[in-house]
Amino acid sequence: MKVSSRKHSLTIISILLLSVVTFVFSACNNGGSSNGSSNGDNGQAPLEGEGIFGMVKDIMATKYKGSNPDQLFFSGNLIYFTANDGIHGIELWVSDGTEAGTTMLADINPGTNGSSPRSFAVMDSELYFSADDGTHGFELWKTNGTESGTRLVADILPGSLSSFPSYFTVMPFKSGSVIEGYNMYFSADDGIHGKELWRTDGTPEGTYMVKDINEGFLDSEPYLFIVMETVLFFSCKDKDHGRELWKSDGTESGTSLVKDIQPGPSGSYPYNFVVLGDTLYFSADDGSNGKELWKSDGIGINTEMVSDICSGSLGSNPEQLTIMNDKLYFVADERSTFGQELWTSGGTEATTERVADIRPGGEDSQIEELTVVGSNLFFQARDGINGIELWISNGTEAGTEMVFDINPGSGSSNPEDFSVVGSHVYFFANNGTNGNELWISDGTSAGTSQVKDINPGNSGSASYNYNNVLIPVGSNIYFCANDGTNGYEFWISDGTESGTQMIKKISNSTANSEPRLLTSLGSDMIFTANDNVYGKELWKSDGSEAGTVLLKDICPGECSISNEIYHYIVVGSTFYFTVNDGTHGSELWKTDGTTSGTVMITDMSYSGFGPYNMVSIGSQLFFGANDGVNGSELWTSDGTAAGTVMIKDINPAGSSNPNYFVVIGSTLFFSADNGTNGNELWKSDGTEAETVMVRDINAGAGDSDPKKFLAVGSTLYFTADNSTNGIELWKSNGTEAETVMVRDINAGVGDSLGYSSYSNIYMTSIGDIVYFNPDDGENGRELWRTDGSEIGTYMVKDIHLGPDGSWPKYLAILDSTLYFFADNGIFGSELWKSDGTAQGTVMVKDINPGSGYSTTDPSHLTALGSRLYFVANDEIHGKEVWVSDGTAANTELIMDIYPGQNDSQDYSPLFRSGFKQAGQQIFFSADNCTNGNELWTLPLQ
């Protein structure tokens, strides 16, 4: 059936899908099984006579996903945590360690959206936290451990918007030497003063702003709160001093800057606060010595650098400041001399010294997780021989040694998430056989062992991508783990195998295969998925259930490919990608779409640091890689081992770190650092002789840090900082003379395309016109256009009047019209379009009427065929898939895949593959409430 009009086509989609929606809704409510479609045996609904709409295949059909317990916090005799039971969304739960005593404390936000509690702290036997009840936004709450005693303390930003209270810290107040009570301090935004310092005594009237530090609507963004007796120290910024060290006694007059360590607006960025006696230790950068170890008693004149460990402007960057036996221990980097190692200090330069050179030479020992157990420090470190393993130190060189080589040989066990019970430390580690599991150690080799193989095989029960937390309570450890059957749930351990068990199966929602990557190879879609048999592996699909199959078990057994495939490209009929097969580390692979044709090209990477940022010129592949000899440099490959070679060692003394590859004609443009000129713009034709720097934009050793490359005809557009004009838009034709700044949009040193909001910078082109979203310092981030000339670079429209900006994002082109999301300050973030003129820049549709955001997590506005596809939330159906032809009438919800206000697209934007076309079908991933997050398809229109 052929349909001439778009409106007719969309209407037919809606009609055909109505039965699908009804069927899925019924299945969800009645606990039935459904693959989200309404016809026939294959569960796919025909659309327009061609193609299918529905879930392609329930790849992980037999296992459950867990409730994903998070934010574990111990108070009194109870463990508080957040969890999603699949019915109420993410809510606050409580447990006494038994199944019967593990319950949801309160359904703060009724329905399936959840209140997402966070930032826990205890004051006067009550738990304080931030939560969103669906009416007031994220505000200050507290509970006494009962449902009736769980209540909103104060609606700091009245209405549905959020004040986002965070960094809760309790401090006593005294009368003389006697503690009379406590107040809690935190950061919040009342919508008038920006994010500032607040305090509460637990009552609405006792909740107020301490001081408007950065006056007006500007944020001072206080954080890193720490208490020394009755003084609160923290880091914040004001318009004159940048981010510096501040203190407060809880009053406006007693809230002041301690010292302007780096004079002027740049700020010293104090960090890593720890208190020892009456002294605060921290790291800071005074602008001359780099980030070094500092101390303060709260008086400016007594706030001074303890030691210039790494002389010069680089600084030693002290981290993980930890107190043991009234002495300070930390990690510091002497750069080329000794690298990053363990240090100690008694508070003076004379008593500041390196404890041990764990990894001899200038390389870092990669110390993390400093944890005190009695008179010893436990931590992870790399000695250059045994990989990253468990170490211990009593503060002396002789007493600093590896406890046990958990993953024998050069492999790393990566011990992490240390927690102390008595004289033992619990942690997660990978012995190379059982995956990431729970371990225990008393500091001796014999006393270090795996507690239990919770997820039998080599998959591991703790994910490196999951927020693993071990909470000690008495003689037990509470944590979350995945046993391979129930997903991530709530567990307890007394240190024995028999005493390590799941407390309660909170969620019975179905599991996710989590299709990601989604890249078309011919008429097939290549993607990664987890079927819980082979683990996460490479799959392909032709859009049918029978044609959706495992392409290859790259990491045999249950190990699964150990990292996401982030770097990949299709060149002709070959898909190149970087993957870790569990044996060789991350290496360069290729596939022609067959199992036999899926092979590793060559084992060329150092320590598994695989090829990245792939582009092609013709059939030739270009990428960055580190072979362990020359550092990270520019490489090329023709798909064979012999034809995979380094083009040029740009930085002979280290790594040039080539990045942001873009091809114009037969020339590759990229950023690189040759060790002399800093990170600058380079180009290459694939030969060593013609791999050269285009221009030293930030003259000398400084970085111009070129990014956001966009090829428009024979011109390259990019962002760069010449140290005079800030981060602005530049262009180049590949010659030094024609590599110039387009316009100083935010005049002076201000950044119009600053990296603090770099993830929100978007650029695209229609013909020879580039559209982008800079901030000119007056109108906020808005939609601009340029033809490459200064006079032809101007704001298209001030969509959100005033300094806030409309923040245009996800720029997409359909029929020579620009589409994007923007917020005009009235309707919230909605779908807009522009023909490049102010009058032709208009909102397409107010999807979520009022000031609510139509896309609370806007993602992947994609033009395919004659339609735009995107994710939106109209607050009736949750985050779902929408389609538009650019008119309000034809901007419609395709289908309420997860019925009701639930989200079929409720997962991190980082892992969303968006909408990808293969042949005449569009593929995406979605959760229909019954089958979990699986692969879906719809026909191209």
Side-chain angles (χ1 to χ4, degrees), residues 768-849:
D768 59 356
I769 301 298
V770 173
Y771 291 89
F772 59 114
N773 61 342
D775 182 348
D776 62 4
E778 295 180 4
N779 299 287
R781 198 168 293 281
E782 290 291 353
L783 181 65
W784 284 58
R785 60 174 285 173
T786 183
D787 60 4
S789 68
E790 182 174 7
I791 194 172
T793 303
Y794 54 87
M795 183 169 62
V796 176
K797 184 173 184 175
D798 189 5
I799 295 173
H800 188 166
L801 298 177
D804 292 336
S806 66
W807 290 78
K809 59 184 68 174
Y810 301 105
L811 279 56
I813 308 300
L814 180 66
D815 295 336
S816 299
T817 299
L818 176 69
Y819 292 86
F820 55 97
F821 292 105
D823 180 358
N824 66 355
I826 300 172
F827 297 102
S829 185
E830 296 291 351
L831 180 64
W832 285 64
K833 66 180 178 181
S834 178
D835 62 1
T837 67
Q839 61 271 25
T841 302
V842 296
M843 185 172 68
V844 175
K845 185 172 184 175
D846 186 9
I847 294 173
N848 186 355

Side-chain angles (χ1 to χ4, degrees), residues 11-87:
T11 301
I12 289 177
I13 293 176
S14 302
I15 294 172
L16 286 173
L17 293 179
L18 181 59
S19 59
V20 180
V21 176
T22 304
F23 181 75
V24 175
F25 185 77
S26 174
C28 291
N29 284 346
N30 296 317
S33 175
S34 167
N35 64 0
S37 55
S38 60
N39 74 309
D41 295 331
N42 65 1
Q44 295 158 335
L47 212 68
E48 294 295 318
E50 295 182 25
I52 53 177
F53 185 100
M55 187 176 65
V56 179
K57 184 175 184 175
D58 190 3
I59 294 173
M60 187 183 284
T62 60
K63 301 292 183 179
Y64 290 101
K65 69 180 180 182
S67 63
N68 295 328
D70 201 359
Q71 309 281 331
L72 274 64
F73 190 89
F74 175 61
S75 176
N77 295 313
L78 299 173
I79 287 283
Y80 294 89
F81 60 100
T82 62
N84 187 343
D85 63 1
I87 300 172

Side-chain angles (χ1 to χ4, degrees), residues 64-147:
Y64 290 101
K65 69 180 180 182
S67 63
N68 295 328
D70 201 359
Q71 309 281 331
L72 274 64
F73 190 89
F74 175 61
S75 176
N77 295 313
L78 299 173
I79 287 283
Y80 294 89
F81 60 100
T82 62
N84 187 343
D85 63 1
I87 300 172
H88 301 93
I90 300 174
E91 288 292 354
L92 184 62
W93 284 65
V94 65
S95 176
D96 61 4
T98 67
E99 181 175 6
T102 301
T103 60
M104 185 174 68
L105 183 57
D107 188 10
I108 295 173
N109 188 351
T112 58
N113 288 330
S115 64
S116 299
R118 60 191 67 176
S119 301
F120 294 164
V122 171
M123 183 174 71
D124 295 332
S125 301
E126 291 188 301
L127 180 73
Y128 288 76
F129 58 97
S130 170
D132 181 358
D133 63 1
T135 302
H136 300 93
F138 279 98
E139 294 294 347
L140 180 62
W141 285 67
K142 70 177 181 179
T143 182
N144 61 4
T146 67
E147 182 176 8

Side-chain angles (χ1 to χ4, degrees), residues 112-417:
T112 58
N113 288 330
S115 64
S116 299
R118 60 191 67 176
S119 301
F120 294 164
V122 171
M123 183 174 71
D124 295 332
S125 301
E126 291 188 301
L127 180 73
Y128 288 76
F129 58 97
S130 170
D132 181 358
D133 63 1
T135 302
H136 300 93
F138 279 98
E139 294 294 347
L140 180 62
W141 285 67
K142 70 177 181 179
T143 182
N144 61 4
T146 67
E147 182 176 8
S148 61
T150 302
R151 57 195 181 278
L152 178 71
V153 175
D155 188 11
I156 295 172
L157 180 50
S160 61
L161 297 180
S162 301
S163 69
F164 293 110
S166 56
Y167 308 111
F168 298 153
T169 304
V170 177
M171 185 172 73
F173 58 90
K174 294 181 177 180
S175 175
S177 60
V178 178
I179 294 178
E180 288 193 337
Y182 297 87
N183 286 309
M184 189 173 71
Y185 295 82
F186 57 99
S187 169
D189 182 353
D190 63 1
I192 299 172
H193 301 93
K195 189 164 287 187
E196 295 292 347
L197 178 64
W198 283 65
R199 64 179 278 182
T200 184
D201 62 2
T203 66
E205 61 274 10
T207 302
Y208 56 89
M209 185 175 67
V210 176
K211 183 173 183 174
D212 187 9
I213 295 172
N214 204 354
E215 295 180 351
F217 189 69
L218 300 174
D219 300 326
S220 70
E221 293 184 334
Y223 73 119
L224 301 178
F225 298 151
I226 192 168
V227 174
M228 188 164 71
E229 293 186 347
T230 56
V231 178
L232 181 73
F233 288 88
F234 55 98
S235 167
C236 76
K237 61 186 180 181
D238 65 13
K239 64 180 185 300
D240 297 319
H241 303 97
R243 185 166 290 281
E244 292 289 354
L245 178 65
W246 283 64
K247 67 177 181 180
S248 178
D249 62 2
T251 67
E252 182 176 10
S253 60
T255 302
S256 61
L257 175 72
V258 176
K259 183 173 183 175
D260 190 8
I261 295 173
Q262 183 172 153
S266 295
S268 67
Y269 283 83
Y271 194 64
N272 294 298
F273 294 173
V274 69
V275 171
L276 177 56
D278 58 358
T279 303
L280 173 72
Y281 290 89
F282 58 99
S283 61
D285 183 351
D286 64 2
S288 300
N289 299 289
K291 185 153 281 192
E292 291 291 354
L293 181 64
W294 283 66
K295 67 179 180 180
S296 177
D297 62 0
I299 301 174
I301 196 171
N302 296 334
T303 301
E304 58 188 5
M305 184 169 64
V306 176
S307 178
D308 188 9
I309 295 172
C310 180
S311 59
S313 60
L314 289 177
S316 65
N317 195 28
E319 294 181 339
Q320 303 177 63
L321 276 61
T322 306
I323 305 299
M324 183 177 73
N325 295 335
D326 294 326
K327 201 170 183 181
L328 178 66
Y329 290 86
F330 58 97
V331 178
D333 190 349
E334 289 179 274
R335 307 294 172 178
S336 60
T337 308
F338 289 96
Q340 184 199 57
E341 296 293 349
L342 181 64
W343 282 68
T344 186
S345 178
T348 66
E349 184 170 9
T351 59
T352 302
E353 58 186 357
R354 186 176 59 257
V355 174
D357 187 12
I358 293 173
R359 189 174 186 180
E363 292 190 88
D364 298 339
S365 60
Q366 297 175 246
I367 297 172
E368 299 282 352
E369 304 272 351
L370 290 185
T371 304
V372 177
V373 182
S375 296
N376 289 305
L377 276 173
F378 284 80
F379 54 95
Q380 63 162 246
R382 181 193 291 274
D383 62 3
I385 300 173
N386 297 286
I388 300 175
E389 293 295 346
L390 180 66
W391 282 67
I392 194 172
S393 178
N394 63 4
T396 68
E397 183 174 10
T400 303
E401 58 185 357
M402 184 173 66
V403 176
F404 184 56
D405 190 8
I406 296 173
N407 191 342
S410 60
S412 295
S413 69
N414 294 305
E416 62 180 3
D417 303 301

